[in-house]
């Protein structure tokens, strides 16, 4: 009976190969796609109430922009490695989370501010890797503000114990 799932290393390798299948777009195309996405995101009644043609056009633009910039996720991962080895099963999850942040970058990008999309998206991709890495470090996942309270309580308890001795 064949295995139900592909080996993890092959999954990561496939993801990296697929991400480099599309060449980066020229700046003019990126600007046009970004404007279509922005028209949808800044609709007066909100993106969910935008007319169907506007929404459909923007979703196609977002998909194209993300697909042609997936290489940025692979490049960022390869450059920083984020302490995740290529054979680790968490690497595939980290790559997907960074790709989701690339989608967020495509939705939030404002071409009028004068930055290139790749520069803006790099911040979001790195943020995706950093957030994933932070989550993996903690054995128990709970909100950061709660973690700060627990760490403060622990520090105060240790200071109290030290002052008793």
């Amino acid at each position: 009976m064949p295995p139900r799932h592909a080996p993890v290393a092959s999954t990561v390798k496939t993801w990296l190969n697929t991400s480099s299948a599309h060449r980066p777009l020229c700046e003019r195309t990126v600007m046009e796609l970004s404007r279509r996405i922005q028209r949808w995101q800044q609709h007066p009644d909100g993106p969910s109430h935008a007319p169907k043609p506007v929404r459909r056009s923007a979703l196609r633009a977002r998909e194209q922009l993300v697909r042609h910039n997936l290489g940025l996720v692979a490049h960022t991962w390869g450059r920083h490695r984020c302490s995740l080895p290529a054979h680790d099963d968490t690497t595939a999850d980290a790559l997907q989370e960074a790709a989701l942040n690339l989608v967020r970058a495509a939705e939030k990008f404002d071409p009028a501010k004068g930055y290139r999309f790749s520069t803006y998206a790099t911040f979001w991709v790195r943020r995706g890797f950093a957030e994933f890495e932070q989550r993996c470090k903690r054995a128990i996942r709970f909100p950061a503000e709660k973690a700060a309270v627990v760490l403060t309580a622990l520090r105060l308890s240790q200071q109290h114990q030290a002052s008793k001795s």
Side-chain angles (χ1 to χ4, degrees):
M1 182 176 215
R4 293 173 73 135
H5 300 289
V8 175
S10 125
T11 303
V12 171
K13 193 174 191 178
T14 302
W15 198 99
L16 293 172
N17 289 338
T18 304
S19 69
S20 62
H22 298 281
R23 308 295 305 153
L25 299 168
C26 69
E27 199 59 32
R28 188 177 189 177
T29 306
V30 169
M31 296 297 259
E32 175 55 35
L33 294 173
S34 297
R35 286 188 195 107
R36 285 174 30 198
I37 296 167
Q38 203 172 33
R39 211 173 301 129
W40 169 54
Q41 288 293 315
Q42 295 177 351
H43 190 271
D45 298 329
S48 59
H49 296 293
K52 260 188 175 176
V54 171
R55 184 176 45 217
R56 204 174 313 128
S57 171
L59 290 174
R60 278 195 307 266
R62 183 184 71 183
E63 180 185 333
Q64 185 178 359
L65 189 59
V66 168
R67 187 179 333 113
H68 284 271
N69 283 283
L70 277 176
L72 182 64
V73 174
H75 174 75
T76 304
W77 177 78
R79 188 165 183 184
H80 300 286
R81 283 297 165 140
C82 302
S83 74
L84 297 171
H87 64 278
D88 195 357
D89 61 339
T90 59
T91 301
D93 293 339
L95 289 167
Q96 288 183 1
E97 183 152 337
L100 286 174
N101 274 16
L102 183 62
V103 172
R104 177 182 265 168
E107 291 176 353
K108 292 183 171 287
F109 179 62
D110 184 3
K113 293 195 176 178
Y115 296 105
R116 294 183 67 182
F117 177 72
S118 58
T119 303
Y120 181 75
T122 299
F123 163 78
W124 285 96
V125 170
R126 285 182 182 166
R127 182 176 175 178
F129 282 129
E131 288 172 355
F132 185 83
E133 199 170 12
Q134 269 309 105
R135 259 198 328 276
C136 286
K137 285 182 180 177
R138 283 193 248 159
I140 300 172
R141 170 76 177 124
F142 51 95
E145 63 272 4
K146 302 289 186 200
V149 170
V150 169
L151 291 174
T152 303
L154 182 61
R155 183 178 44 81
L156 291 172
S157 173
Q158 288 172 345
Q159 287 176 349
H160 180 70
Q161 291 294 330
S163 67
K164 278 183 155 181
S165 331

